[in-house]
Amino acid sequence: MSADQPHFQPTATYEADPASVDRVLLLYSGGLDTSVMLKWIQDHYEAEVVCLTVNLGQPGEDYGVIEAKAKQLGAVECHVVDARERFAAEFVAPAIKANAVYGNGYPLFTALGRPLIAQLAVEYARRSDCDTIAHGCTGKGNDQVRIEATVATLAPELKTIAPVRSWEMGREEEIAYARENGIPVKGGTEVAPYSIDDNLWGRSSEGRWIEDLDHAPEDDVFQLVTRPEEAPDEAETVTVGFEAGVPVSLNGERLGLVELLERAAEIGCRHGVGIVDHIEDRIVGLKVRDIYEVPAAAIVLTAHEELERLVGTIHQNQFKPALDQKWGYLVYAGLWWEPLRSDLDAYMNAVSAQVSGEIGLRLFKGSVRVVTRSSANAVYDAELATFSESGGLFDQNASPGFIEIWSLQSRMAHRLRQRGES
Ligand code: ARG
C-alpha cells in the first residue's frame, strides 16, 4: 500500500484490507454487476480473480456463455457447479418439512440458495487458494447478510468484499465502465431491467414499477407463470406422493426431487399458480415489494401441509406452525448455520416420519385446491367420523359427561365475572 493511501478502516473483522487481497473468489452470475466487478477487482486490488457460478436450477441459463465471458474478462480460473441435487436434498427438502414461508407466502427460494452458494464459495476459495470472497449484493438487501454470515461462520480465515456496496457507481456509471472495459452489455440501456433472482424453487423480480406500491403488476414481469386469465379453461388434477415428509412422486410416477420440482413447476406455470405480490419486512429494516413466481412451491407446500395435518394429532398440529415460523425466519434472516435451525430440523424429521401418502390438487386459473387425500398414517377413521353412528371407540352417550368436565373452568369463571358485574 502506498503512503498516500488512507489506512483501511474495516467496519467488520471479516472485511478485506485492500492491501492484502491477492486472489479473489468471485461469485459470478454473468450479469452486469458481477461482470463489472470481475474487471474492477483486477484493476483496484491488483488481484487475480477466480470465478464461481452455481447452478441451482435457474431456468434458461447458458453456463457455457457465462464461463466464456468470465475467461474473456480475465478470470484466471472459472468453475461452474451444478448444485441442483444438493440444493434440493439439503435445503429445499428441509424447507418442505418445515412448510417454510416468510410473510404472506414467500417460500424462501433465495434465502435457501444463498447459504449453499456461500458454502460452495468457501469450498472453491480454499481449493483455489483464494484469500477473499467477493459477491455482487447491494448494501440494502438480505442477501449480503446470508452470504457474509455464512462465510464468517464456515471460514473465519477468509475475508469478503462487496464492491457494489462500496464503489458508488450507479447503473449509468456501471454501463460506462463496462463500455470502456469491453464488457458486453445485454439489451437496451435506457430501461433498467427487473432485478431477478431465481432457482428451481422460485423466481423473484424487484425494481422498476414494482417499487410503486399502487402500481398493479405489468404483464411482462411474469416470465414463468402463465397469467391466470390466460390459463386453460379446463382444470387439471395433480397428485403428489410423499415419503417421510419429502415428495417422491407426481401423478403416481416416482421421480428424483430435482425432476419432481421441475415438473411440478411446469404444471403450475401452465395453470397460472404461484403468483405472489409481496411486501416484505427485510432484516435490514426496509419494507420492499417483490413479485414472486413460485409454481412448484404452490403445489408441493399445499400438498405437504395437508398431508402433515392429516397424520398429526390435534396437539402436534397446533404446535408445529410456531416452530415452522421460527425455522422460516431464521432462514430468511440469514442464519442457516444457527444451531437452533438444526434443533428444529430434528423435530421436523420426527414429525415427518409419519408424513407419507398422497394428496390430489386441482389447479385452475391460478388456484390450487386440495381435492383428495390418502395415507396409511392418517389419524382418521371413516366409521368413527360418520355423523350419526355410535359404537367402537366412540360412544355418543359419553359426550355429555365430557362436555360437563371440559367446560368446568370456563363456566366457573363466567359465573364469577357475572357476580362481579352485578
Ligand atoms: N426479497 C427476497 C429475499 O430477501 C428475494 C431477494 C432476491 N434477490 C435479488 N438479488 N434480487 O430473500
Side-chain angles (χ1 to χ4, degrees), residues 173-284:
E173 288 99 326
E174 276 189 52
I175 290 173
Y177 184 95
R179 293 247 156 86
E180 279 160 34
N181 289 276
I183 299 166
V185 180
K186 260 196 295 193
T189 51
E190 308 77 45
V191 192
Y194 297 111
S195 165
I196 305 295
D197 187 64
D198 56 359
N199 60 45
L200 52 77
W201 196 226
R203 177 183 203 273
S204 84
S205 304
E206 293 173 0
R208 295 181 52 187
W209 54 263
I210 300 171
E211 290 164 5
D212 287 332
L213 301 191
D214 65 357
H215 195 123
E218 288 184 16
D219 294 352
D220 72 348
V221 75
F222 301 113
Q223 294 291 317
L224 282 184
V225 176
T226 309
R227 292 187 310 121
E229 46 275 58
E230 283 164 8
D233 294 329
E234 286 295 306
E236 179 173 348
T237 301
V238 56
T239 57
V240 189
F242 289 84
E243 274 173 24
V246 179
V248 294
S249 70
L250 213 55
N251 292 328
E253 183 184 354
R254 273 193 93 83
L255 295 167
L257 190 52
V258 170
E259 199 182 350
L260 187 147
L261 297 177
E262 285 170 355
R263 291 232 213 140
E266 226 175 271
I267 301 171
C269 282
R270 191 158 59 235
H271 290 279
V273 309
I275 291 175
V276 182
D277 184 334
H278 197 246
I279 306 285
E280 200 160 280
D281 284 307
R282 288 202 175 161
I283 46 178
V284 294

Side-chain angles (χ1 to χ4, degrees), residues 106 109-111 114 142-143 146 195-197 204 206 280 282 290 292 332:
Y106 166 38
F109 52 89
T110 297
R114 292 299 186 255
N142 299 313
D143 289 333
R146 297 165 182 150
S195 165
I196 305 295
D197 187 64
S204 84
E206 293 173 0
E280 200 160 280
R282 288 202 175 161
D290 279 84
Y292 292 127
Y332 178 77

Side-chain angles (χ1 to χ4, degrees), residues 11-275:
T11 316
T13 52
Y14 62 77
E15 282 185 290
D17 180 341
S20 55
V21 174
D22 286 323
R23 203 170 154 87
V24 176
L25 182 297
L26 168 64
L27 283 166
Y28 186 60
S29 70
L32 180 65
D33 285 340
T34 55
S35 295
V36 169
M37 275 171 68
L38 174 44
K39 270 283 180 202
W40 191 87
I41 291 167
Q42 296 172 74
D43 287 352
H44 284 249
Y45 291 82
E46 287 167 19
E48 291 180 333
V49 181
V50 173
C51 282
L52 173 66
T53 304
V54 183
N55 174 359
L56 295 182
Q58 304 84 308
E61 200 74 271
D62 186 335
Y63 296 97
V65 169
I66 296 175
E67 194 173 346
K69 196 167 172 186
K71 289 256 165 70
Q72 185 208 324
L73 298 176
V76 294
E77 288 175 31
C78 215
H79 304 275
V80 174
V81 182
D82 183 351
R84 286 177 298 168
E85 298 287 343
R86 189 161 160 191
F87 180 53
E90 295 174 27
F91 293 82
V92 179
I96 293 168
K97 291 180 192 173
N99 300 304
V101 291
Y102 179 67
N104 207 359
Y106 166 38
L108 297 170
F109 52 89
T110 297
L112 291 161
R114 292 299 186 255
L116 175 54
I117 290 170
Q119 184 182 28
L120 287 163
V122 166
E123 289 173 21
Y124 279 79
R126 285 178 172 159
R127 218 188 277 180
S128 297
D129 262 327
C130 297
D131 45 66
T132 303
I133 288 174
H135 62 76
C137 306
T138 72
K140 285 191 168 177
N142 299 313
D143 289 333
Q144 53 174 347
V145 182
R146 297 165 182 150
I147 289 178
E148 291 174 23
T150 296
V151 174
T153 303
L154 300 184
E157 82 281 10
L158 291 173
K159 302 288 179 184
T160 62
I161 54 174
V164 178
R165 209 162 48 190
S166 56
W167 66 23
E168 289 173 353
M169 283 195 269
R171 191 178 146 76
E172 307 269 281
E173 288 99 326
E174 276 189 52
I175 290 173
Y177 184 95
R179 293 247 156 86
E180 279 160 34
N181 289 276
I183 299 166
V185 180
K186 260 196 295 193
T189 51
E190 308 77 45
V191 192
Y194 297 111
S195 165
I196 305 295
D197 187 64
D198 56 359
N199 60 45
L200 52 77
W201 196 226
R203 177 183 203 273
S204 84
S205 304
E206 293 173 0
R208 295 181 52 187
W209 54 263
I210 300 171
E211 290 164 5
D212 287 332
L213 301 191
D214 65 357
H215 195 123
E218 288 184 16
D219 294 352
D220 72 348
V221 75
F222 301 113
Q223 294 291 317
L224 282 184
V225 176
T226 309
R227 292 187 310 121
E229 46 275 58
E230 283 164 8
D233 294 329
E234 286 295 306
E236 179 173 348
T237 301
V238 56
T239 57
V240 189
F242 289 84
E243 274 173 24
V246 179
V248 294
S249 70
L250 213 55
N251 292 328
E253 183 184 354
R254 273 193 93 83
L255 295 167
L257 190 52
V258 170
E259 199 182 350
L260 187 147
L261 297 177
E262 285 170 355
R263 291 232 213 140
E266 226 175 271
I267 301 171
C269 282
R270 191 158 59 235
H271 290 279
V273 309
I275 291 175

